[in-house]
Amino acid sequence: MIAIKDLTVDLGEFMLRDITLDIRDSEYFIILGPTAAGKTVLLEAIAGLYPVVHGEVWINDREITGISPEKRKIGIVYQDQSLFPHLSVAQNIAFGLSFRKLSRDEVRSRVDDMAHMLGIAHLLERRPNTLSGGEKQRVALGRALVTNPDMLLLDEPLSALDPETKESLQRVLAEVHRRLGVTTMHVTHDFEESMVLGDRVAVLHQGRIAQVGTPEQILRQPNSEFMAHFSLSRNVFSGKVVSQDEGYALVDIGGVQLAAMTSQEEQVHLSLRPEDVLLSLEHLGSSARNSFPGAIADIVDRGSVVYVTVTLPPDLTCMITRQSFRDLGLQRGMTVWVTFKASSVHVF
Amino acid sequence: MFRLHSFRWDSMNVVFVVLGVLIMFFISFPLLKTVLSPSPGTLWNTLLQDEVYYSILLTICAAVIATLFGLLFGVPLAYLLARRNFRGKSLLEGLIDVPIVIPHSAAGVALLFVFGQQFLLGKVFHVIGIDFFNTIAGVIIAMMFVSLPFLIDSAKEGFQGVDVKLEKVARTLGASPWRSFFRVSLPLAARSIFSGSVMMWARGISEFGAILILAYHVPFLGHNPVVAPILVADRFNYGLDYTLPVAGLVILISLVIFIALRMIAYRGDRA
């Protein structure tokens, strides 16, 4: 297990403050945050490459805060791969093994195994500058993994790649993690990437951890207005609980009263994901507690899906497929019905 | 290399090319004329004179040793300057370049003032058996003093060109700071360090003023030669005919070694 306690790092312009995280064995942990939020520095601080102001880093009940990087057993892969340009692919991968007392055959076979697993066996004699971005990233991954680190740090490993390469490397990362079970910390600014790969996700906001949870929790149970917006809930309201009945509450959000499942009282925040809202031309006689008519205020076509904003008031955004958008023949100003379950409304 | 896609003989290009040709002529014509005017036989016979032979050997050897010391002391400093930020860094960088801008005879006086036997460092070194006045050690430190900036500046640029992340990755892979330096930073900066060394060495063999003050005639392999630049000047006192073959020889040898080293340094660039 890897524990980070109250870690504070000075970045000059601002600070990362009191970062506390517990990462479980073999977990794929994602740090999600905007560009220039200090994500790289956080990784470097964990690896011992950047000084910490205070705080502790523990690996398997061993404190490593003051230990030099070469003794930490933490591998790192940078966004730009940082392969050694003067060494071949094979020499790059073998680099970390050269500091151990291993026979030449042992090194050779470990490099070969790693190269095979990553699909780069045919590149071993090549120089880094002749490789594509995806190939370089695999080499960097192999170089870090071949030493069997206690922890693997990935700094935006997919960000500099074209969409196709990115998808295939994403599969490689998932596959490698499944096979080797190495505890992994992956930082990214890509929300979707974090949802696909992460066992758990920590969201970094203004130098602090805003929320830690499974992708499902991050998506459905934001713990703050910032998180609700960040996770693209789109529908974030504040309101007041007007009635409570055994976990069912009616919340007045100024205009309409939404049914939600909560035992909270008084002032609350609500979020509702656009994909959880049904849109229809007629009132649906369903069991869903929330059903309201409204006029279409805006239509945003995103290619495969369409976002439709309906004014109840307030404005509510729902997401529908392109197919149903066409079937319903929606246009601005039309009156439609929006319907969603009380359990889809997240109260915080 | 950049390519001029549409080179046209407009007035600016004409003027610039003419000026460029003139300056190239200015550089190469005196060199070629000096090398080519004595016959090859005369050059060869000149080289066989003890006075000339030992002078050239002394000059080359002392410059090589100066460069080796430069590598030992200058490369670590260059690395620090490339990697660390500290108070007074730009002052230090300016100081390193001072030997280039001061008159070299003044540099010789300054060195004599510190390394002369009756002065502080001179006394210290005398204890361990090294004297600088009129010895090869004096030639070496005079060469070092005036030519170190070329090596340090070039090595610093080389280290600055090495992505610091490469060193960081090396550390996480188990390399100590020493190993990361010798296996990553140094090999990647090697070309810059090498070309800096060539420049330092070349500047060393051409040194005149500081050596004239500090170490005029020095005992060397049973002879008592002066360095080549001084020999050329000395012989000029007896007339141009007397000095021309020596000057030609010195230029020729310098040129051959310099070109050879540059070819080594830039080999593979066009691969």
Side-chain angles (χ1 to χ4, degrees):
Chain A
M1 200 186 84
I2 285 121
I4 294 156
K5 298 177 185 168
D6 296 325
L7 197 72
T8 295
V9 181
D10 190 348
L11 288 123
E13 304 269 306
F14 65 104
M15 307 257 276
L16 285 180
R17 282 181 202 279
D18 304 325
I19 306 290
T20 296
L21 295 167
D22 283 310
I23 296 146
R24 299 172 198 133
D25 279 338
S26 297
E27 193 168 27
Y28 200 112
F29 194 91
I30 299 233
I31 306 268
L32 181 60
T35 317
K39 302 191 298 290
T40 302
V41 169
L42 176 61
L43 291 190
E44 292 193 342
I46 293 169
L49 301 166
Y50 197 93
V52 303
V53 176
H54 67 78
E56 296 167 8
V57 183
W58 293 70
I59 288 190
N60 303 333
D61 301 320
R62 174 172 74 111
E63 199 196 338
I64 58 164
T65 321
I67 291 181
S68 57
E70 63 269 25
K71 297 187 181 116
R72 291 195 181 203
K73 297 190 75 181
I74 293 178
I76 193 164
V77 174
Y78 283 106
Q79 178 177 3
D80 64 359
Q81 299 99 25
S82 297
L83 298 178
F84 302 125
H86 58 308
L87 302 178
S88 70
V89 168
Q91 288 168 324
N92 263 280
I93 298 175
F95 190 88
L97 298 176
S98 66
F99 306 111
R100 306 186 179 182
K101 292 186 178 68
L102 295 174
S103 72
R104 195 174 288 256
D105 289 344
E106 170 80 12
V107 170
R108 187 80 220 173
S109 86
R110 280 171 77 165
V111 169
D112 281 345
D113 289 349
M114 187 52 69
H116 276 291
M117 188 175 78
L118 293 166
I120 47 173
H122 58 295
L123 304 173
L124 283 175
E125 300 312 318
R126 297 258 293 266
R127 290 273 165 163
N129 62 4
T130 67
L131 304 179
S132 71
E135 289 167 342
K136 282 184 193 168
Q137 204 57 277
R138 287 168 198 242
V139 176
L141 205 55
R143 181 178 63 179
L145 286 170
V146 79
T147 58
N148 291 327
D150 288 339
M151 187 182 197
L152 178 66
L153 304 176
L154 304 172
D155 179 18
E156 300 261 11
L158 305 173
S159 301
L161 306 172
D162 63 85
E164 204 178 319
T165 315
K166 181 173 166 170
E167 212 167 280
S168 85
L169 202 68
Q170 197 163 298
R171 280 198 299 276
V172 169
L173 285 175
E175 170 72 9
V176 163
H177 182 254
R178 194 181 61 73
R179 280 174 67 170
L180 301 179
V182 59
T183 310
T184 304
M185 188 186 253
H186 170 145
V187 303
T188 180
H189 65 269
D190 187 322
F191 190 78
E192 206 182 293
E193 197 176 302
S194 74
M195 295 296 114
V196 174
L197 283 169
D199 292 326
R200 282 192 306 151
V201 178
V203 179
L204 205 58
H205 176 55
Q206 292 180 343
R208 290 174 190 275
I209 300 287
Q211 186 174 359
V212 182
T214 62
E216 184 72 12
Q217 286 168 334
I218 298 288
L219 217 51
R220 310 247 163 223
Q221 298 160 30
N223 65 357
S224 65
E225 242 181 298
F226 162 76
M227 280 304 301
H229 285 292
F230 184 80
S231 61
L232 303 179
S233 282
R234 285 171 190 268
N235 301 306
V236 183
F237 309 107
S238 54
K240 197 175 173 195
V241 177
V242 291
S243 77
Q244 259 290 359
D245 181 22
E246 291 173 10
Y248 270 97
L250 274 180
V251 184
D252 189 333
I253 59 167
V256 294
Q257 295 187 346
L258 302 186
M261 295 172 78
T262 179
S263 49
Q264 288 194 57
E265 306 213 7
E266 292 295 312
Q267 285 295 330
V268 291
H269 292 282
L270 302 122
S271 70
L272 175 64
R273 298 200 62 81
E275 60 269 30
D276 290 344
V277 181
L278 264 172
L279 200 143
S280 57
L281 297 175
E282 306 288 333
H283 178 63
L284 295 177
S286 81
S287 61
R289 291 287 191 98
N290 296 298
S291 196
F292 308 97
I296 295 179
D298 197 17
I299 295 169
V300 178
D301 192 341
R302 279 291 174 81
S304 53
V305 294
V306 181
Y307 288 95
V308 181
T309 302
V310 180
T311 306
L312 305 181
D315 284 357
L316 191 75
T317 300
C318 46
M319 187 185 92
I320 57 175
T321 62
R322 211 183 160 69
Q323 185 65 39
S324 38
F325 173 70
R326 228 179 285 140
D327 291 349
L328 293 169
L330 298 181
Q331 278 172 359
R332 246 180 236 221
M334 274 175 71
T335 300
V336 291
W337 283 78
V338 293
T339 306
F340 48 93
K341 293 178 183 170
S343 60
S344 295
V345 180
H346 172 64
V347 182
F348 59 100
Chain B
M1 281 282 273
F2 68 95
R3 235 176 50 206
L4 288 174
H5 284 290
S6 53
F7 187 87
R8 249 188 275 175
W9 287 104
D10 57 36
S11 59
M12 190 183 87
N13 279 329
V14 170
V15 170
F16 282 18
V17 167
V18 168
L19 292 174
V21 167
L22 284 175
I23 202 74
M24 287 315 295
F25 186 73
F26 172 68
I27 292 173
S28 54
F29 187 64
L31 293 178
L32 285 174
K33 187 145 194 302
T34 312
V35 172
L36 296 177
S37 50
S39 71
T42 311
L43 284 181
W44 181 247
N45 286 331
T46 307
L47 182 62
L48 293 182
Q49 297 168 17
D50 276 356
E51 193 189 20
V52 176
Y53 177 77
Y54 284 101
S55 167
I56 288 173
L57 198 61
L58 165 72
T59 311
I60 290 174
C61 287
V64 167
I65 295 168
T67 305
L68 292 178
F69 275 109
L71 286 168
L72 181 63
F73 291 98
V75 169
L77 176 61
Y79 182 78
L80 286 180
L81 291 172
R83 278 289 178 263
R84 310 266 178 262
N85 279 311
F86 48 87
R87 198 183 289 265
K89 179 174 162 182
S90 51
L91 192 73
L92 190 64
E93 286 173 320
L95 190 66
I96 288 167
D97 287 339
V98 165
I100 296 177
V101 298
I102 58 170
H104 286 178
S105 47
V109 172
L111 284 172
L112 184 64
F113 199 54
V114 172
F115 286 97
Q117 249 182 62
Q118 63 273 47
F119 301 104
L120 182 69
L121 281 174
K123 280 181 187 159
V124 173
F125 278 96
H126 183 72
V127 172
I128 56 170
I130 298 174
D131 290 316
F132 295 98
F133 188 68
N134 285 348
T135 68
I136 188 169
V139 176
I140 290 166
I141 61 162
M143 285 178 171
M144 261 180 81
F145 188 83
V146 299
S147 61
L148 254 177
F150 295 96
L151 175 55
I152 294 176
D153 289 345
S154 178
K156 185 179 76 181
E157 271 172 41
F159 285 125
Q160 280 167 342
V162 179
D163 188 347
V164 70
K165 288 206 290 290
L166 295 177
E167 295 170 8
K168 290 181 172 181
V169 168
R171 296 294 305 281
T172 66
L173 291 170
S176 63
W178 285 106
R179 280 174 155 168
S180 147
F181 178 78
F182 281 110
R183 297 215 17 213
V184 177
S185 326
L186 195 61
L188 288 172
R191 181 170 293 187
S192 297
I193 295 170
F194 185 78
S195 67
S197 303
V198 172
M199 286 305 294
M200 178 172 176
W201 175 84
R203 185 65 196 78
I205 61 169
S206 61
E207 180 49 25
F208 176 82
I211 296 173
L212 188 72
I213 304 277
L214 196 62
Y216 188 63
H217 276 279
V218 303
F220 179 66
L221 301 177
H223 292 261
N224 208 22
V226 296
V227 293
I230 296 180
L231 182 66
V232 172
D234 274 357
R235 290 216 170 180
F236 185 65
N237 294 330
Y238 302 99
L240 188 60
D241 286 347
Y242 198 49
T243 196
L244 194 61
V246 181
L249 201 58
V250 169
I251 292 172
L252 188 65
I253 291 171
S254 305
L255 221 56
V256 167
I257 296 177
F258 191 67
I259 289 169
L261 289 176
R262 275 186 77 102
M263 279 170 69
I264 295 171
Y266 294 99
R267 134 197 87 152
D269 257 9
R270 283 169 205 86

